[in-house]
């Protein structure tokens, strides 16, 4: 994964989108989605490497640490997916739909964060006692 | 790498535009709309399996489901 390749693919995608924008607007939308997906696929191997090393780090944190690490992983995943789709929605004029996607992402992230809060409060309570 | 899909989309788009122009010149408007729909469906077919593959691998990486 080198950044130069990513930049080239991005510029190529933007060129295709611009070409298609005036002759076939709906295909321009699909070209944008595909460019985003191609770039994402390129950096996927990088992300897996990073997360594997993180998993190794979280081994020492015991049972709780593992579940918290998995939740953090999920939150990062949801955050990224919603940002990806909201960006595409905003690109093609439907800001309200993009906002809705972001709201849904925030709600699901918050729902996942609640066990962590409970955990923190429990450990603080245990320390104070 | 799946950069060639981007080129395919561009090709289908330009082809559809050209065909539409020809059809409009020979005043067959309704066929032109069919060509537009057909090009859209062709591109959607190509894009769908790429996007689903991407989302499957994302789900497995982030252990989302």
């Amino acid at each position: 994964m080198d950044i130069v390749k990513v930049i080239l693919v991005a510029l190529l995608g933007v060129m295709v989108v611009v070409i298609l924008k005036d002759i076939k607007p709906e295909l321009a939308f699909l070209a944008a989605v595909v460019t985003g997906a191609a770039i994402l696929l390129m950096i996927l191997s990088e992300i897996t490497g990073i997360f594997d090393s993180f998993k190794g780090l979280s081994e020492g944190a015991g049972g709780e640490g593992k579940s918290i690490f998995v939740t953090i992983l999920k939150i990062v995943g949801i955050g990224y997916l919603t940002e990806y789709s909201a960006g595409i929605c905003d690109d093609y004029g439907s800001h309200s739909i993009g906002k809705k996607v972001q709201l849904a992402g925030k709600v699901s992230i918050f729902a996942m964060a609640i066990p962590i809060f409970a955990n923190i409060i429990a450990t603080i309570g245990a320390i104070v006692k | 790498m799946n950069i060639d899909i981007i080129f395919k989309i561009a090709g289908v788009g330009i082809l559809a535009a050209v065909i539409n122009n020809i059809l409009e010149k020979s005043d067959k408007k309704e066929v032109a709309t069919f060509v537009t729909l057909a090009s859209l469906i062709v591109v959607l077919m190509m894009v769908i399996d790429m996007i689903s593959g991407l989302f499957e691998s994302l789900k497995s990486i982030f252990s989302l489901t």
Side-chain angles (χ1 to χ4, degrees):
Chain A
M1 193 295 284
D2 53 355
I3 191 69
V4 172
K5 229 161 71 153
V6 172
I7 290 172
L8 285 180
V9 168
L11 292 180
L12 186 92
V14 168
M15 190 190 74
V16 168
V17 166
V18 165
I19 289 174
L20 286 178
K21 206 142 191 134
D22 53 352
I23 50 175
K24 276 271 171 281
E26 60 276 5
L27 289 188
F29 167 71
L30 284 174
V33 171
V34 165
T35 320
I39 290 176
L40 206 57
L41 279 173
M42 269 197 205
I43 57 173
L44 224 49
S45 52
E46 193 84 13
I47 293 177
T48 37
I50 291 170
F51 279 140
D52 292 345
S53 53
F54 261 118
K55 250 182 192 98
L57 292 180
S58 83
E59 289 311 319
E64 259 153 29
K66 193 164 298 308
S67 71
I68 289 179
F69 175 73
V70 169
T71 321
I72 289 173
L73 215 57
K74 277 193 186 148
I75 289 175
V76 168
I78 289 180
Y80 189 75
L81 276 179
T82 42
E83 189 269 333
Y84 173 80
S85 40
I88 287 183
C89 294
D90 290 349
D91 261 359
Y92 285 90
S94 51
H95 298 286
S96 59
I97 297 178
K99 292 278 180 298
K100 297 293 175 297
V101 172
Q102 279 168 356
L103 177 68
K106 284 179 192 138
V107 165
S108 52
I109 285 177
F110 191 68
M112 281 196 179
I114 287 174
I116 297 183
F117 290 150
N119 202 313
I120 290 172
I121 290 163
T123 39
I124 290 173
I127 294 168
V128 165
K129 278 199 191 67
Chain B
M1 202 55 66
N2 31 41
I3 300 169
D4 54 350
I5 291 186
I6 299 179
F7 287 124
K8 278 187 202 147
I9 291 180
V12 168
I14 292 167
L15 196 66
V18 166
I19 291 176
N20 271 356
N21 284 343
I22 293 169
L23 287 175
E24 259 139 33
K25 285 295 169 300
S26 62
D27 58 50
K28 286 200 178 61
K29 271 268 184 299
E30 61 285 355
V31 184
T33 48
F34 285 137
V35 166
T36 312
L37 273 178
S39 68
L40 195 62
I41 289 166
V42 163
V43 170
L44 267 175
M45 282 305 131
M46 282 193 283
V47 166
I48 277 196
D49 47 16
M50 177 189 176
I51 300 290
S52 67
L54 168 73
F55 279 148
E56 281 317 315
S57 44
L58 271 177
K59 262 192 236 165
S60 63
I61 289 173
F62 291 114
S63 63
L64 273 175
T65 47

